[in-house]
Amino acid sequence: MISEQLEKIREEAIRQISQSEGLDKLNEIRVSVLGKKGELTGILKSMKDVAPEDRPKVGQLVNETREAIEKVLEETKAKMEAAARDAKLKAEVIDVTLPAKKNKVGHNHPNNVALEELERIFIGMGYEVAEGPEVERDYYNFEALNIPADHPAKDEQDTFYISGDILLRTQTSSTQVHEMEKGKLPIKMIAPGRVFRADEVDATHSPSFHQVEGLVIDKDVTFADLKGTLAEFAKQLFGPDTKTKFRPHHFPFTEPSAEMDVSCFKCGGKGCRFCKGEGWIEILGCGMVHPHVLEMSGIDPNEYTGFAFGVGLERIALLKYEIDDMRLLYENDIRFLNQF
Ligand code: DAH
């Protein structure tokens, strides 16, 4: 009897399904029972032996059996998939209560903190930030700045020569020449950068340090502009009560030249250990750009005048953050840097 055969196929299939482990096995069962060459299909093929009036009934039975087996197959498959998902999630469990590892992060260098402050101040006064090469020709570092080959100032700045007239710049003043040569006037720029001198390392010297150069060239620029600008700069950098004092000095590329002192921001000018009892602290060199320097770079000194200044960046950082040894700035010890 076909109905008994069908019943047997169904029971056997369900038994196999209940014992199967894994989706592959399940698929094998599906093929062997419901596939083209499967048992159930075999029964359909033998329909020709069934009496025509019984065929609809048998057909319906076969369909019911197929549906019953398919239903169990689907349910089992869904269970297996759910179990696999659970297992995967379990394996991926993270213990969020575990203490975290702390990442070590770096810290802004006092030089950079000071530079950002300087740039902020001058950009606020309408200056642009320029840059020049660290490897220079003698011409840009010396000659075009009114320091001819036999000038004694050349001795003061022990120069690292690379070859012939190629050298490591001893001062950012060389960027003044590059900016003037561009031929675009007026100029109002600062140029921060690294400079090099054959100096022994000690608490106040290093063979490589940083300067910030300033240059303003326009019609009718006077020494009063220089004084006003730098006095305002000192107030913004060291506090609104800061006084400034200009002492005559000599630089080959400026005439007249001066050094600027600020009133000691520790004692307010009374004199203390910080300012070595002076009440004043020297912070930069400056002056009116020498007419000969303007001329050499193609600017007519009868039409244009200008002022320039040069600040030691390390010096500002040491003063502002009260660091007493320049070597600390180059060791990059994070315990030191973290304090700024
Ligand atoms: N270049 C000078 C130095 O390294 C500093 C300096 C002084 C720059 C006066 C200037 C200036 O622009 O006007 O000692």
Side-chain angles (χ1 to χ4, degrees):
M1 271 304 283
I2 283 186
S3 64
E4 278 165 18
Q5 251 178 293
L6 284 172
E7 183 58 26
K8 251 184 155 169
I9 290 174
R10 198 175 70 149
E11 277 174 14
E12 178 55 18
I14 289 176
R15 192 187 63 77
Q16 280 186 25
I17 292 169
S18 69
Q19 288 176 1
S20 67
E21 284 169 7
L23 292 168
D24 288 349
K25 189 71 200 158
L26 219 53
N27 213 31
E28 268 175 39
I29 299 170
R30 179 193 299 276
V31 173
S32 77
V33 182
L34 308 176
K36 264 188 192 158
K37 292 177 187 160
E39 291 171 77
L40 216 53
T41 321
I43 299 237
L44 280 177
K45 282 177 185 158
S46 63
M47 281 283 259
K48 57 184 185 306
D49 304 329
V50 176
E53 64 271 26
D54 289 338
R55 280 180 196 165
K57 182 107 195 0
V58 173
Q60 197 192 338
L61 269 178
V62 171
N63 277 341
E64 279 170 14
T65 308
R66 165 182 291 276
E67 278 163 18
I69 295 170
E70 269 175 353
K71 188 168 171 244
V72 179
L73 270 172
E74 279 317 306
E75 284 168 1
T76 310
K77 187 177 165 212
K79 268 188 216 154
M80 281 179 179
E81 283 172 349
R85 261 200 309 276
D86 285 352
K88 186 161 181 258
L89 283 180
K90 231 185 202 149
E92 285 176 357
V93 153
I94 303 169
D95 183 353
V96 293
T97 65
L98 279 175
K101 264 193 205 156
K102 244 193 175 170
N103 275 343
K104 282 200 176 128
V105 290
H107 197 278
N108 245 351
H109 193 278
N111 269 356
N112 269 335
V113 181
L115 177 58
E116 277 169 18
E117 180 71 2
L118 252 70
E119 287 184 345
R120 188 190 61 75
I121 295 170
F122 281 106
I123 288 170
M125 295 197 259
Y127 283 63
E128 282 179 40
V129 179
E131 225 179 294
E134 291 174 1
V135 179
E136 273 292 9
R137 293 191 176 280
D138 186 288
Y139 175 79
Y140 289 95
N141 196 78
F142 293 122
E143 212 177 310
L145 290 165
N146 219 13
I147 313 174
D150 56 358
H151 197 283
K154 239 177 145 166
D155 276 353
E156 285 162 26
Q157 304 186 357
D158 272 328
T159 311
F160 286 117
Y161 280 91
I162 292 176
S163 66
D165 75 333
I166 310 287
L167 49 81
L168 295 179
R169 69 176 173 195
T170 61
Q171 48 186 355
T172 47
S173 303
S174 53
T175 47
Q176 289 190 30
V177 183
H178 289 288
E179 287 304 302
M180 289 188 290
E181 275 188 351
K182 285 181 185 167
K184 265 179 35 199
L185 293 167
I187 296 170
K188 206 172 172 189
M189 67 100 190
I190 54 167
R194 185 192 287 258
V195 298
F196 306 84
R197 287 183 200 182
D199 273 331
E200 297 281 343
V201 175
D202 66 25
T204 53
H205 292 87
S206 160
S208 155
F209 57 103
H210 300 80
Q211 292 183 330
V212 180
E213 194 74 15
L215 177 68
V216 174
I217 296 181
D218 204 345
K219 290 180 175 157
D220 304 321
V221 176
T222 68
F223 202 88
D225 295 313
L226 176 157
K227 282 179 77 176
T229 301
L230 295 178
E232 174 60 21
F233 160 65
K235 280 191 167 68
Q236 288 200 34
L237 189 62
F238 294 112
D241 296 330
T242 307
K243 292 192 218 34
T244 40
K245 180 169 84 173
F246 293 81
R247 279 180 290 100
H249 200 77
H250 173 263
F251 296 105
F253 37 89
T254 45
E255 179 59 37
S257 306
E259 277 186 336
M260 184 178 89
D261 297 346
V262 294
S263 54
C264 177
F265 45 86
K266 270 242 117 156
C267 63
K270 285 190 217 84
C272 65
R273 266 182 52 195
F274 197 71
C275 56
K276 300 190 184 85
E278 300 277 330
W280 295 95
I281 300 170
E282 179 217 319
I283 65 159
L284 56 79
C286 56
M288 299 305 290
V289 181
H290 198 295
H292 190 214
V293 169
L294 291 173
E295 222 161 37
M296 278 188 282
S297 288
I299 297 172
D300 181 357
N302 295 316
E303 205 181 339
Y304 285 94
T305 50
F307 67 81
F309 53 92
V311 192
L313 190 60
E314 277 81 357
R315 184 160 170 74
I316 298 291
L318 295 180
L319 282 172
K320 207 164 155 56
Y321 307 114
E322 297 177 29
I323 304 164
D324 56 11
D325 192 325
M326 194 167 170
R327 286 167 287 201
L328 288 166
L329 292 180
Y330 302 116
E331 283 166 2
N332 280 332
D333 185 331
I334 192 76
R335 292 167 301 178
F336 168 75
L337 297 178
N338 265 336
Q339 300 172 55
F340 308 97

